[in-house]
Structure formats: structure tokens, C-alpha cells
Amino acid sequence: MLESLDLWVEYLIRFSHVVAGISWIGSSFYFIWLDSSFEPPKKSRENVDGEVFMVHGGFYYQVDKKKIAPGQLPEKLHWFKWEATLTFITGFMLFIYLYFLNSASLLIDPSVMNLSHFQAILFSLIFIIGSWFFYDVLFHPNIKIPNFLRNTIGLLAAFALIYYTPTVFSGRGAYMIVGVVFGSCMLLNVWVRILPGQAKMLAQAEAGQTPDYSLGQKSKSRSVHNTYFIFPVLFIMLSNHYPAVYNHELAWLLLAILTLVGAMLRQVMITKKSIEKWLLVPAMIGLMSLVALTSKKDMTVSEANKGLSYSDIQPIIEKRCLSCHATQNTDDIFTVAQKGIILETEELVRLHKDKMLPQVENKVMPLANKTQMTDEERAQLIQFLKELDTDQ
Ligand code: HEC
């Protein structure tokens, strides 16, 4: 009865992660919109910098943007920090569940680096924690370097991370680690750099002093960075459905382009300068270059593989796939049919052919090539699956 517990645990964590993520990104988008929509107050009011009127669900809302001043504190102040925190906690749980357990099979690709279970976990933690410290020091207000230089180093470091992770981990694992790095920086920005400044200003106001508004200004750059991280992180979170992307031989380049495109889309979305709207052009060129890069297929079809029948292919599937995709799995770790995909009969193979092809073509399956499928067998299975497509 408990065999399916695994599935539901994953389902529930994923669900919570998506719900928390929607609340976080949703409220971030809302505040980005709000910030760009304020207008100077019609009647000037003390400490009010801007006002905005909205209608939603049959009611009208008026929001003021204001500075807090001594003696003007509201009784109840709403902070937006739990959305971010819950997104991170559920995300990290999901990361541990999928990538650290099960011998870290989704992190390791022996053809990239033959990591042990322990090494895979250790190295990914080093990447994640190391990246935060590097980032935090680079953008620390006490470190005096010109902003232009700081941003350039930051961008180059992000590209270095994107470049090196696929030389250590599986394509899918590498993408996810970059996503976790960006996500961790976002969360730590909130807790370590943004909230303490705000709390200090609040405490000053409560103590009857004029708050030191430069504290808010100091953490401003971290808030801005967080908005740049949003789209790249979302791209990465969705990437594990696309093996043709994360297992591409230039997976790092695709991710670098996606990151840049994501950052440019953010700029276009937020900016008020019409010249910056033109960033949509390089963003579109970036997307088109992704299409071009992923269109190339290096697998050449040899004449000998043409016209293979199911009986030619069945032994390959049996040897290389069924240990993890059968009614009774024999794999030591994956004891139930993975993703519910069972490949025991011709009908089932036909049913799943569209899912099988990208997995096999992009060398995602057999997972970490645990069953040691040869290139020849792979080419045969690919050709067979492609011909099934044209059969119908
Ligand atoms: C060592 C175990 C293992 C072997 C061997 C294996 N798979 Fe998988 N397979 C997995 C796991 C684990 C997943 C789920 C991955 C995930 O969480 O996305 C999976 C998922 C899949 C999926 C679903 C992908 C999707 O769309 O979500 C397909 C299709 C698939 N495998 C096909 C194959 C084929 C074809 C073979 C043989 C060539 C094969 N697998 C061999 C472990 C294995």
C-alpha cells in the first residue's frame, strides 16, 4: 500500500513549491507594477511620495507610497517575506528529494564525471554555498568598487557558473544547481540584506528618531537583482521537461542565452524608457538562436538501421530500459516503473514513443546510462522510434 507514498510526497512538495512560488513571484510582480504606477499625490500630504488608485473585485483601493516617520507607525505592518521563504524551503526540499536521494542519480552523469553519491551532494553544496558568499562579498556596500565593474564581474561569474556546472554534473543536474544558486541568492538577499535594513529603519522610527533612509537605499541593489533573477530561475525550473535543452552538447550556452533573454525581458517589462523597450529585439534574436542551436541533430542514420521491426528492438529495451520501466522493476534504486512508464510490450512502446524519443536521442535515458546502452543500440532505437512516427 505504501509503494505510492513516494509519488504523493513528491507531488505534495511540488504542489506546495508551485503555490508558494506563485505567491512570491506574483507579489513581486505586483510591487514592481505598483512602483512604476505611482503618481505624485494630487494634494500634497506629509511624507507621501506617490499615490495610485485601483479597482478590483468591485471595490476601489488607494495605495500611498510613503516614508515612515517617528510617531506615524501603523499598528499592523504587513511584511512580504514568508512567500519567498516558503518557496525556498519547499524548493530545497524538492531538490533534496529528487537530486540528493536515489543515489543522486539525476545529478550524476558518468560520461561527464564519475562522481560518487557523496561527492555529487558535496560538490553541489559547495557550488551553492560558495556562489552565495562570492556574490554577497562582491556586492557588499563596504567593498568599494565602481558599480559598472561590480556588475560586469557578477555577470561573468554567473556565466562561469553556468559553464562549469555541466562539466561536473549531468545536464539536468547542472541546470538545477544554477537555479538553486540563483534562488538561494534571492532568498538570502531578502533575509540577510533587505529585511535587516528595513527592520533597523523601523526600530529608529519607533524610538522616535528620523530613520536613516540610506539603509533602504543600500539594499535597493539586492531588490533589483532579485527582479533580474526571476525569469532565469523560472526558465530553469521548467527546463527539466526539455532534455533537448539541458542535455545539448552546448547546454551551458543555451542556459547563458536563456539567462540573458530572461534579464532582458525583465528590463522590457519594467523600464519606462522607450529606448530600453528595444531590448525586445536582442531578446528575440536570443530566442531564435536557441531554436537554431537546438535544431541541429548530430545522430546520423546508417542505412543498416532502416526498417527495423519491434522484434529487433525488444531485446534492447529489455536489456537497457526494463530494469526501471517494468511492472516488476529489477533496479536496486528505482523499484517502481518510473513516471509510470512501462515498456514491456509493442503497444506500450508505441504509446510512449513520443516521450521516449527525446529521452533516448538526448542521452537522458537510460538514466546515467546505468544499463550501459551502446551507441549502436541507441541509434537503432532512435531510428525505430522515428519510423514509428512516419508509420501512422
Ligand atoms: C536506472 C533506471 C532507468 C533506466 C535504466 C531507464 N530509465 Fe527512464 N526514467 C528513469 C527515471 C528515474 C525517470 C524519471 C525522471 C524524472 O524524474 O524526470 C525516467 C523517466 C523516463 C521517461 C519519462 C520522461 C518524461 O517525459 O518525464 C521516459 C520516456 C523514459 N524514462 C524512457 C526510458 C527508456 C526508453 C529507457 C531505455 C533506453 C529508460 N528510460 C531507461 C530511470 C530509468
Side-chain angles (χ1 to χ4, degrees), residues 10 14 98-99 102 105-106 172 240-241 243 246 316-325 329 331-334 336-341 343 352-360 364-373 378 381 385:
E10 183 192 321
R14 203 182 278 271
L98 291 174
Y99 292 85
N102 290 333
S105 314
L106 289 179
R172 178 172 166 173
N240 58 34
H241 298 287
Y246 65 71
I316 301 180
I317 294 181
E318 178 162 356
K319 228 161 116 189
R320 311 302 182 195
C321 313
L322 291 194
S323 54
C324 300
H325 292 286
N329 274 9
D331 191 84
D332 52 340
I333 292 163
F334 300 101
V336 291
Q338 286 301 301
K339 293 266 144 147
I341 294 195
L343 301 172
H352 294 306
K353 65 178 170 42
D354 293 334
K355 284 201 158 167
M356 290 169 71
L357 187 60
Q359 300 287 331
V360 179
V364 180
M365 291 293 145
L367 192 66
N369 205 8
K370 191 170 178 184
T371 47
Q372 300 175 343
M373 182 182 231
R378 193 179 294 279
L381 184 54
L385 291 170

Side-chain angles (χ1 to χ4, degrees), residues 56-158:
H56 190 258
F59 282 92
Y60 296 87
Y61 298 80
Q62 176 184 359
V63 175
D64 292 338
K65 179 174 188 163
K66 57 196 295 180
K67 295 198 176 77
I68 48 167
Q72 285 190 352
L73 288 181
E75 257 176 40
K76 190 155 180 56
L77 187 60
H78 297 276
W79 294 75
F80 287 80
K81 56 187 178 192
W82 295 113
E83 293 85 352
T85 312
L86 276 178
T87 307
F88 182 83
I89 292 174
T90 50
F92 211 79
M93 276 163 69
L94 194 59
F95 180 63
I96 291 175
Y97 189 80
L98 291 174
Y99 292 85
F100 284 2
L101 304 186
N102 290 333
S103 302
S105 314
L106 289 179
L107 274 186
I108 302 169
D109 180 346
S111 70
V112 172
M113 197 181 272
N114 210 349
L115 299 174
S116 67
H117 185 183
F118 174 73
Q119 284 171 326
I121 294 176
L122 180 72
F123 292 174
S124 55
L125 289 177
I126 291 176
F127 270 100
I128 295 164
I129 297 168
S131 299
W132 159 255
F133 280 110
F134 180 87
Y135 165 76
D136 191 47
V137 169
L138 181 65
F139 287 96
H140 200 283
N142 294 350
I143 305 256
K144 302 272 176 260
I145 0 174
N147 268 341
F148 169 74
L149 193 62
R150 224 197 273 271
N151 292 339
T152 311
I153 297 174
L155 199 62
L156 289 178

Side-chain angles (χ1 to χ4, degrees), residues 134-283:
F134 180 87
Y135 165 76
D136 191 47
V137 169
L138 181 65
F139 287 96
H140 200 283
N142 294 350
I143 305 256
K144 302 272 176 260
I145 0 174
N147 268 341
F148 169 74
L149 193 62
R150 224 197 273 271
N151 292 339
T152 311
I153 297 174
L155 199 62
L156 289 178
F159 286 145
L161 176 77
I162 289 170
Y163 182 79
Y164 281 108
T165 41
T167 64
V168 180
F169 304 98
S170 69
R172 178 172 166 173
Y175 269 44
M176 205 40 75
I177 286 170
V178 174
V180 177
V181 166
F182 289 174
S184 311
C185 289
M186 289 171 82
L187 181 83
L188 289 166
N189 274 342
V190 172
W191 278 98
V192 182
R193 295 295 159 210
I194 300 172
L195 292 179
Q198 286 177 349
K200 218 177 208 169
M201 281 166 20
L202 208 59
Q204 288 166 339
E206 266 169 356
Q209 304 159 359
T210 310
D212 173 6
Y213 290 111
S214 74
L215 288 171
Q217 218 47 44
K218 268 185 189 159
S219 58
K220 183 79 192 151
S221 70
R222 304 298 181 112
S223 300
V224 173
H225 291 173
N226 276 8
T227 64
Y228 280 104
F229 281 130
I230 292 177
F231 286 135
V233 169
L234 290 178
F235 276 134
I236 295 173
M237 294 308 137
L238 299 176
S239 71
N240 58 34
H241 298 287
Y242 303 99
V245 178
Y246 65 71
N247 254 26
H248 194 275
E249 53 185 342
L250 292 175
W252 67 270
L253 183 60
L254 301 188
L255 186 52
I257 295 174
L258 273 177
T259 303
L260 280 177
V261 168
M264 287 193 272
L265 290 180
R266 172 268 181 218
Q267 198 65 13
V268 172
M269 202 174 102
I270 291 177
T271 186
K272 287 196 152 172
K273 297 181 195 148
S274 52
I275 181 110
E276 286 186 4
K277 298 273 182 207
W278 283 97
L279 279 171
L280 202 54
V281 175

